[in-house]
Amino acid sequence: MADQRDSRAELGQVLVVIPTYNERENLGPIVARLHEALPEAHALVVDDGSPDGTGRLADEMAAADDRVRVLHRTEKAGLGAAYVAGFGWALERDYGVIVEMDADGSHAPEDLPRLLDALTDADLALGSRYVPGGRVVNWPKYRELISRGGGLYSRLALGAKVRDITGGFKAFRREVLEKINIQSVASQGYCFQIDLTWRTIEAGFEVVEVPITFTERAVGQSKMSGSIVREALWRVTKWGVRRRLEQVGAIKR
Ligand SMILES: Nc1nc2c(ncn2[C@@H]2O[C@H](COP(=O)(O)OP(=O)(O)OP(=O)(O)O)[C@@H](O)[C@H]2O)c(=O)[nH]1
Ligand SMILES: [Mg+2]
């Protein structure tokens, strides 16, 4: 649907949504790096009442810098719900590009200019660890195995050509989020990322993968768990079976 027309400036104002839960030590540095890489971009911190005071820190940063905004939610409701709330906030305002980025330093803000360049002739620019030039730094073998295995399974089940379908560093044109009915996305964790990318592909939008260097968090605690992996397996299998049934005409789209 993108028609290879836009320059970076024509994409419009950029909002980087950063969900946080107990990221006090990571938030300051990541926002500083963001503004070093993209001085004009706005950051929206979506905090779920972090017990470590991340939300308060975000308020202080917002008071000192007009480019920083904060959305407070009262309880920890998962990364997916935080992003959906952030997207809703963005769509009520005049942002042309909405970016997903973790607070823990895994996603390098320095990669964002290339993501935006790629978005000039695509609808979703997906930061990818698994295309040539993409890398993973400091991941234990088992994490890479889960990620690669989950990605391969999802691609087979869904017939999607994207190489890093579980990736969570991505830039959307606002039209994509307007179209894919984000309020109905219930998936969390890994599965949330697969869900959004899959909906984008299914809606006929152009997805381009951009190589990134993904670095495992150095500070703070991971929220990765067995239940996150099980949720992804279950949902992806369900979507894959539905897609097959549609293909053979057993059910209607
Ligand atoms: N608002 C909000 N943010 C969350 C929640 N869970 C995770 N996050 C944030 O989402 C981002 C990604 O979460 P991570 O814990 O790094 O999950 P992960 O990247 O799958 O796993 P690790 O990198 O190994 O920790 C981080 O910025 C977290 O602070 C949540 O329930 N609410
Ligand atoms: Mg992380």
Side-chain angles (χ1 to χ4, degrees):
M1 288 191 193
D3 54 10
Q4 321 210 335
R5 63 213 130 139
D6 293 317
S7 67
R8 273 265 296 275
E10 284 166 329
L11 289 171
Q13 177 66 43
V14 176
L15 179 72
V16 180
V17 182
I18 308 176
T20 56
Y21 193 77
N22 288 346
E23 301 285 3
R24 203 182 153 75
E25 288 154 287
N26 289 319
L27 186 62
I30 204 73
V31 173
R33 284 171 62 191
L34 165 65
H35 282 139
E36 189 72 27
L38 290 177
E40 309 286 318
H42 287 183
L44 175 68
V45 179
V46 185
D47 186 70
D48 279 5
S50 296
D52 76 345
T54 304
R56 266 196 313 280
L57 171 64
D59 284 336
E60 286 163 23
M61 292 166 62
D65 187 337
D66 194 41
R67 297 168 300 179
V68 180
R69 312 293 165 94
V70 191
L71 193 60
H72 292 282
R73 293 151 50 79
T74 45
E75 61 186 59
K76 178 164 167 40
L79 165 148
Y83 271 126
V84 168
F87 294 162
W89 187 96
L91 293 179
E92 285 165 10
R93 292 164 177 79
D94 197 21
Y95 293 102
V97 176
I98 296 138
V99 177
E100 285 187 37
M101 187 173 84
D102 288 354
D104 62 358
S106 288
H107 302 148
E110 296 75 19
D111 285 338
L112 274 171
R114 278 188 307 113
L115 240 67
L116 295 183
D117 281 339
L119 197 63
T120 58
D121 55 20
D123 300 296
L124 163 59
L126 175 60
S128 180
R129 297 161 285 191
Y130 307 133
V131 292
R135 294 200 307 141
V136 176
V137 177
N138 287 345
W139 242 10
K141 205 74 208 158
Y142 83 95
R143 280 299 299 265
E144 182 157 357
L145 221 66
I146 293 175
S147 172
R148 282 187 182 269
L152 181 63
Y153 181 75
S154 306
R155 280 160 59 204
L156 289 174
L158 302 175
K161 293 197 181 69
V162 171
R163 304 204 63 97
D164 194 353
I165 200 163
T166 61
F169 189 22
K170 43 220 226 191
F172 294 94
R173 284 181 188 248
R174 75 174 286 133
E175 293 76 17
V176 176
L177 298 180
E178 283 169 343
K179 177 113 187 256
I180 62 174
N181 193 13
I182 47 171
Q183 297 302 333
S184 72
V185 177
S187 321
Q188 293 296 329
Y190 263 4
C191 195
F192 176 77
Q193 303 303 352
I194 302 170
D195 199 337
L196 282 198
T197 298
W198 176 236
R199 284 174 190 236
T200 303
I201 294 168
E202 284 272 278
F205 288 109
E206 185 97 21
V207 180
V208 61
E209 286 188 274
V210 178
I212 57 161
T213 297
F214 178 99
T215 309
E216 174 58 343
R217 67 159 70 241
V219 188
Q221 235 185 0
S222 169
K223 286 107 204 165
M224 180 73 186
S225 70
S227 72
I228 284 177
V229 176
R230 282 193 298 277
E231 182 209 16
L233 264 180
W234 160 239
R235 286 194 196 258
V236 167
T237 303
K238 211 170 59 178
W239 298 333
V241 168
R242 193 172 63 208
R243 172 175 163 274
R244 278 288 179 206
L245 291 173
E246 284 166 6
Q247 279 175 341
V248 299
I251 58 171
K252 275 214 171 71
R253 285 199 68 162

